[in-house]
Amino acid sequence: MDDFARKLGKNIKMMRVFKDKSQAELSFDSGLNQSYLSRVEKGTVNVTVIKLCCIAKALGCNLTELIPEINDTNSL
């Protein structure tokens, strides 16, 4: 999977840990499958915008807090 997906997954995991939530809690709060969330955090799946919004809402954060910086526009 691409670097963006890995960075996004890392940001989601860091926010989840910061908010003191387990994957199971985030799964319940977001309405998403726990195995799917695990793949998102590992960066092995591309998350849709709608699902990313569900994750941000469940974490009580702004969507922009989860999106990684893009330093090289040629890599997109």
Side-chain angles (χ1 to χ4, degrees), residues 21-62:
K21 284 188 181 238
S22 67
Q23 271 188 357
E25 290 170 319
L26 181 56
S27 171
F28 180 80
D29 293 343
S30 66
L32 301 174
N33 185 287
Q34 186 175 349
S35 65
Y36 175 78
L37 286 173
S38 175
R39 293 191 315 266
V40 169
E41 287 186 358
K42 291 177 185 174
T44 60
V45 65
N46 282 320
V47 62
T48 66
V49 173
I50 292 171
K51 290 181 180 178
L52 188 56
C53 288
C54 291
I55 293 169
K57 184 176 179 181
L59 289 171
C61 70
N62 192 315

Side-chain angles (χ1 to χ4, degrees), residues 14-21 25 58-61 65:
M14 287 185 349
M15 183 64 74
R16 177 178 60 77
V17 171
F18 177 76
K19 298 284 184 163
D20 198 30
K21 284 188 181 238
E25 290 170 319
L59 289 171
C61 70
E65 294 177 81

